[in-house]
Amino acid sequence: MRRTIRHIPLLGTALAPAAAQAQGENRPMWYLETFGSPGNEITPILWGLLWLAIGVVVIIAALVLAGVFLKTQRGVDMRRDQEAVSPPHDHSALRWMYGGLFATLAALSVFVVWTMMTMADIRQPDGEAPITIAITGHQWWWQVTYLSEDESRIFETANEIHVPVGVPVKFRLTSADVIHSFWVPAIASKTDLIPGQENTAWFRADTPGVYRGQCAEYCGKQHANMALRVVAESPEDFDAWWDMQLEPVEMPETEVAKMGMELFRLNCAACHNIRGAMAGGEMGPDLSHLMERTTLASGMLPNTPGHLSGWIANPDVIKPGTLMPRTDLSGPELDAIRAFLLTLDQGA
Amino acid sequence: MWQHLFWIFAHPWVYIIVLPAMGMVSDALPVFCRQPLVGYTLVVIATITTMILGFGVWVHHMFATGIPFMSLSFFSGASFIITIPSAVSVFAWILTIWYGKPVVKVPFLYFASFIVMFTIGGVSGVMTASVPADFQLHGTYFVVAHIHYVLIGINLFGVLGALYFWFPKMSGRMMSERLGTWAFAFIFGGFNLAFLPMHWTGLMGMPRRVYTYPEGAGWGWVNMTTTVGSFLLAFGILLVLVNVWHGLRRGKPAGDNPWDAPTLEWAVSSPPPPYNFATAPVLASRHPLWEDRLPEGSGRSSLHHGPLLDDGKEAMLTTVLDAEPDLVVKMPDDTLWPFLTTVAMTVFFGALLLHLWTWAAAGLGAILLCMLGWLWPRDDLAQTSKEAHHG
């Protein structure tokens, strides 16, 4: 279990350069500067509230400190010095109280109105949202289905969401097990994924880049490692990516990869789907075009052959509690499966 | 649904935690300011308002659950409004300090810092009351910081101040001022070092309840600050415990009224005798022990002459508005009925949960029977004596 920690420091390396530009390398979850809506509409009121809060605390702290330092009596023996007690001058004191309350009320009214206006603003995207993505939360990964009226254009993927820049995208959110929460701080606020209920959300990425998202509602042992990545790219790239996703996998050519496909069917296909490879499990993430993704295990590991082997060989060591079982493969079997998975890279 | 039930319970629960602490401060802070609380009536009204409003804001814990915007805006507004009564209390405390001549003792240190902690916990609450802001803040460390300012800042600081204040009354001995000042320094410093930066952790996007995070997230140094602060805070609490232990053993004798406080409990010996007062005192003002120094009301409280309640279980009945002693009523003796009622209620609710409808019906019947037994009129309680026995 201790070993899990070492696998994590990958963010800096795994992020595409565009993301580093867009988000600032060290602040993948920062939301005081945003790159899309509704984040852009929320940030101003957040800053406003923050400054209001800081202002109020500074004023009150100053009043208390000044009151204490200006008025303190030193060397008083409370048991003897009985003359000290005085009446509170309620008349003049209450005038200050009413003044303070009026100021409080005024500030609050401004923020109530601002809140309502912002809410009206972020309720719906401006204009139609042509793309709808269904996201189902699982312990501990994200099932992502791109919906379309044309059934042949529907496909499923996991943990990485591609969206076109400048186009509002709608989300249908639900959960297969417990409550999760969908949150991509640099673009959008959060919405819960609740079993047996369909929530909707939307966002529009305005700057190309890769954005980190993370589950924001405690959902079990590996809640901390339930991340997702949003890749915002030009509409052309996005369309090409969608078309590529629709392709069935190509049959492997090398002997070892062919053997790997057989072994995959025997050992993995009960849970994992790979379109075109006679593997249709539904428990775990869809692995068609796996190599096109940049991370493994919901954003935990960079997608490299080494990490892939390690993950398949013993998932529970990397992500304690994961529902993916250990399969007790021999070394050559593991190599073969890996060789097969490495062929799933039409996009690259 | 369960989330709703949970928060309908849990939000008022927060007020159940903080309101008594606010009351302790409103009671004890004026003693150290050497004058009565400014705006007493307003503070009382504010407290009652908070209690009522506190039942109407539970949904502000659930802004992100997909509830329609219309109802969100209602609960957002209610959560903003609940600030007003809290502001009344804060202004009352500050004005009491400004119009008074404070004497800095350990309890006063806690009460004065309490006002600032209260404000920090309050304004971070206002920030999360705004729905759009909460869409981002919800579920991050910002909320963790907020709850710690509420529970530790508003409850613990008030309660610790109250401990130092009433300890002499409870034990008859004083707690050491010097050790108390050190403990306060550690608690105040440690607490703020731990939880003030935590707001920033939340603003940097760290979600709650994660055991690990990517190194590149930039949360490392703030979390380290929090860790250091929490150890300092824990050490401060340890000092308080030592302070209590030392006070119990070696504390200087306190006398009846070490703080020259105005209220009734300071009129009896420390610790108070088991019967509290030999005769029921009759009060003319809120500050019976300061009466000769304050131009307050008319008449004088009489602490040593009053009705005697010495004939079995008796209690004073007073008039509703002015609390003038009116009647001595007989109180019922110990009885098994309340216990039987709770047993019946356990059966009833347990059966409901298990879908055992006959048991539930039986439980309900048993509850009604027990309540009948409990409330059955009895001759020996019917008597009330108009004339109190004067002692």
Side-chain angles (χ1 to χ4, degrees):
Chain A
M1 291 220 183
R2 267 170 287 125
R3 257 183 289 164
T4 53
I5 310 299
R6 245 181 279 155
H7 293 283
I8 294 168
L10 66 107
L11 239 122
T13 52
L15 285 178
Q21 273 176 357
Q23 278 190 275
E25 251 169 291
N26 293 320
R27 315 189 283 192
M29 300 292 282
W30 180 253
Y31 51 80
L32 290 176
E33 187 190 0
T34 47
F35 302 91
S37 288
N40 288 348
E41 283 75 31
I42 294 175
T43 311
I45 188 172
L46 200 50
W47 276 109
L49 284 162
L50 192 56
W51 284 118
L52 171 80
I54 292 171
V56 169
V57 170
V58 168
I59 291 171
I60 298 288
L63 284 175
V64 171
L65 284 176
V68 172
F69 281 108
L70 293 178
K71 301 283 183 162
T72 295
Q73 320 177 70
R74 290 181 194 285
V76 172
D77 182 344
M78 296 179 81
R79 258 180 268 203
R80 284 194 209 113
D81 195 4
Q82 305 215 333
E83 292 311 305
V85 174
S86 64
H89 311 287
D90 255 18
H91 272 293
S92 56
L94 284 183
R95 239 180 288 149
W96 285 105
M97 160 104 75
Y98 293 131
L101 285 179
F102 182 77
T104 311
L105 201 59
L108 285 181
S109 315
V110 170
F111 276 91
V112 168
V113 172
W114 194 355
T115 293
M116 301 305 159
M117 283 167 57
T118 311
M119 284 174 74
D121 231 19
I122 61 175
R123 185 175 186 166
Q124 298 286 343
D126 301 333
E128 275 298 291
I131 298 162
T132 304
I133 303 173
I135 296 185
T136 307
H138 291 263
Q139 284 176 324
W140 292 275
W141 59 282
W142 309 85
Q143 178 188 358
V144 180
T145 311
Y146 281 72
L147 302 175
S148 167
E149 301 207 335
D150 177 0
E151 259 181 55
S152 66
R153 289 192 59 79
I154 298 175
F155 73 91
E156 198 184 302
T157 177
N159 302 330
E160 289 195 15
I161 302 170
H162 286 241
V163 293
V165 166
V167 180
V169 180
K170 262 197 196 156
F171 294 92
R172 289 193 199 161
L173 307 168
T174 188
S175 167
D177 36 49
V178 297
I179 299 179
H180 304 274
S181 193
F182 176 66
W183 187 34
V184 187
I187 307 176
S189 52
K190 54 186 82 66
T191 310
D192 290 353
L193 296 86
I194 301 172
Q197 178 179 331
E198 189 181 91
N199 279 343
T200 54
W202 68 275
F203 71 60
R204 188 190 68 229
D206 291 339
T207 312
V210 181
Y211 303 92
R212 184 181 162 94
Q214 195 163 341
C215 179
E217 185 72 50
Y218 182 73
C219 58
K221 211 170 173 184
Q222 284 298 329
H223 165 61
N225 285 312
M226 185 168 164
L228 64 95
R229 290 154 63 81
V230 172
V231 181
E233 54 199 2
S234 69
E236 299 78 45
D237 287 352
F238 173 74
D239 289 338
W241 177 81
W242 190 321
D243 290 337
M244 181 274 292
Q245 288 287 336
L246 295 173
E247 303 275 321
V249 299
E250 280 169 20
M251 285 300 118
E253 281 161 13
T254 62
E255 280 309 307
V256 62
K258 278 182 192 162
M259 192 174 86
M261 183 163 81
E262 288 308 313
L263 285 166
F264 185 91
R265 284 177 186 157
L266 284 172
N267 290 294
C268 318
C271 299
H272 290 290
N273 182 31
I274 294 182
R275 292 185 292 278
M278 292 174 68
E282 289 178 351
M283 283 281 288
D286 187 302
L287 297 181
S288 322
H289 309 283
L290 174 67
M291 284 305 120
E292 170 271 334
R293 295 178 207 158
T294 46
T295 63
L296 295 172
S298 305
M300 244 189 120
L301 308 169
N303 190 358
T304 62
H307 283 302
L308 185 57
S309 301
W311 175 244
I312 300 169
N314 209 340
D316 203 64
V317 167
I318 293 171
K319 198 167 177 174
T322 177
L323 299 183
M324 176 161 160
R326 217 174 87 160
T327 36
D328 287 320
L329 299 161
S330 68
E333 287 173 329
L334 180 64
D335 282 345
I337 289 182
R338 186 184 66 179
F340 164 62
L341 291 175
L342 289 175
T343 66
L344 304 173
D345 63 347
Q346 272 89 343
Chain B
M1 176 63 195
W2 286 111
Q3 240 184 331
H4 278 287
L5 285 180
F6 176 78
W7 286 118
I8 286 176
F9 155 75
H11 194 85
W13 175 84
V14 175
Y15 288 106
I16 291 168
I17 300 248
V18 300
L19 285 174
M22 290 166 67
M24 292 173 200
V25 175
S26 297
D27 241 16
L29 175 75
V31 173
F32 294 92
C33 297
R34 315 309 293 144
Q35 58 151 14
L37 184 70
V38 169
Y40 176 89
T41 317
L42 282 178
V43 173
V44 171
I45 294 173
T47 308
I48 296 170
T49 317
T50 309
M51 277 159 56
I52 296 166
L53 287 178
F55 284 99
V57 296
W58 79 90
V59 170
H60 72 210
H61 298 269
M62 301 172 58
F63 284 162
T65 54
I67 291 167
F69 271 36
M70 202 59 208
S71 26
L72 288 191
S73 54
F74 169 78
F75 286 101
S76 181
S79 309
F80 272 111
I81 290 171
I82 206 163
T83 317
I84 300 288
S86 307
V88 170
S89 304
V90 169
F91 291 134
W93 296 323
I94 291 179
L95 287 167
T96 307
I97 294 181
W98 269 89
Y99 277 83
K101 282 169 257 156
V103 180
V104 179
K105 300 277 177 189
V106 175
F108 181 78
L109 291 175
Y110 281 103
F111 297 144
S113 51
F114 168 94
I115 302 173
V116 182
M117 306 295 103
F118 185 98
T119 312
I120 298 178
V123 291
S124 60
V126 171
M127 289 181 68
T128 47
S130 171
V131 175
D134 187 66
F135 279 161
Q136 291 285 27
L137 297 172
H138 178 77
T140 68
Y141 261 74
F142 189 88
V143 178
V144 182
H146 167 67
I147 197 179
H148 281 91
Y149 268 89
V150 172
L151 292 186
I152 297 183
I154 308 185
N155 181 269
L156 192 69
F157 274 72
V159 168
L160 282 180
L163 171 73
Y164 279 87
F165 179 64
W166 275 298
F167 183 87
K169 181 49 64 185
M170 292 187 279
S171 68
R173 289 170 185 278
M174 303 295 287
M175 281 164 84
S176 155
E177 278 285 318
R178 220 173 114 191
L179 192 54
T181 312
W182 276 105
F184 169 78
F186 273 102
I187 289 177
F188 181 81
F191 171 69
N192 283 293
L193 190 65
F195 294 106
L196 202 59
M198 193 181 271
H199 292 103
W200 190 241
T201 323
L203 289 171
M204 290 203 295
M206 180 163 171
R208 299 174 75 167
R209 306 178 179 121
V210 294
Y211 74 93
T212 182
Y213 48 82
E215 199 177 11
W219 305 325
W221 66 270
V222 258
N223 282 323
M224 191 39 135
T225 317
T226 298
T227 309
V228 173
S230 66
F231 276 97
L232 293 178
L233 172 61
F235 182 69
I237 302 279
L238 185 71
L239 285 184
V240 171
L241 296 178
V242 172
N243 206 348
V244 168
W245 178 78
H246 179 264
L248 284 174
R249 299 222 142 183
R250 304 258 162 89
K252 278 183 271 176
D256 292 356
N257 192 357
W259 314 114
D260 183 29
T263 42
L264 209 47
E265 73 270 32
W266 303 101
V268 292
S269 63
S270 311
Y275 51 84
N276 290 339
F277 292 91
T279 62
V282 181
L283 297 189
S285 77
R286 285 197 304 274
H287 309 100
L289 305 189
W290 281 358
E291 266 168 9
D292 44 350
R293 287 175 266 163
L294 292 177
E296 192 174 356
S298 58
R300 287 280 175 264
S301 304
S302 103
L303 301 182
H304 303 293
H305 301 280
L308 267 179
L309 303 174
D310 58 354
D311 186 16
K313 290 203 169 190
E314 291 180 328
M316 287 301 298
L317 194 68
T318 57
T319 53
V320 177
L321 279 181
D322 298 325
E324 308 262 2
D326 193 15
L327 291 174
V328 175
V329 282
K330 282 281 188 187
M331 300 304 283
D333 285 316
D334 300 340
T335 159
L336 264 181
W337 287 114
F339 174 71
L340 293 177
T341 313
T342 48
V343 171
M345 284 171 85
T346 310
V347 172
F348 175 60
F349 287 113
L352 278 188
L353 285 176
L354 297 169
H355 297 245
L356 301 171
W357 308 123
T358 21
W359 279 93
L364 187 62
I367 293 174
L368 293 176
L369 279 179
C370 290
M371 304 219 347
L372 264 180
W374 190 356
L375 299 176
W376 202 258
R378 282 158 56 196
D379 283 345
D380 54 337
L381 294 183
Q383 164 264 339
T384 51
S385 61
K386 182 83 190 168
E387 210 38 56
H389 335 258
H390 276 275

